Amino acid sequence: LAQLRAEGHKIAVCSNLAFEYCPAVRRLLPIVEAFIFSCEVGSAKPEPEIYEEACRRLSCRPRDVLFIGDSKRADLEGPEAFGMRARLIDRASGQTIRGIL
């Protein structure tokens, strides 16, 4: 993530996370510019409102986003329907974010 930030990329976490886990995720990822948690924004992936909030917080257009996640419905189909580019990460095979780019 640090290398991506150094290259000028904006990074966000968009998650259907339960409220009690939000503080821990924020502490673990201080390099992230925006956290969009379903429990805080009142919308959950794959609802378009959560992707809209991600774009708003990053000040970008959907077509400028590459959404990476591990759920076909929430992290591929939802973002693509909203106009984002999206890729699935295969953690079981050891794939990394850099390997997707």
Side-chain angles (χ1 to χ4, degrees), residues 8-87:
H9 297 282
K10 296 178 181 181
I11 301 171
V13 171
C14 182
S15 178
N16 290 345
L17 192 66
F19 183 78
E20 59 268 16
Y21 300 110
C22 296
V25 172
R26 284 187 171 96
R27 280 192 308 273
L28 288 170
L29 297 169
I31 197 166
V32 171
E33 290 183 61
F35 294 91
I36 304 90
F37 296 133
S38 59
C39 61
E40 295 176 346
V41 301
S43 176
K45 299 182 296 182
E47 297 169 351
E49 294 83 7
I50 197 164
Y51 308 116
E52 182 177 6
E53 182 65 16
C55 289
R56 187 188 70 73
R57 291 191 190 184
L58 292 173
S59 300
C60 65
R61 299 170 295 194
R63 69 176 182 227
D64 297 328
V65 172
L66 175 59
F67 199 102
I68 299 171
D70 59 5
S71 165
K72 182 179 178 188
R73 184 169 174 255
D75 301 324
L76 182 69
E77 294 170 354
E80 285 180 342
F82 188 69
M84 297 173 166
R85 294 174 297 128
R87 303 286 182 276

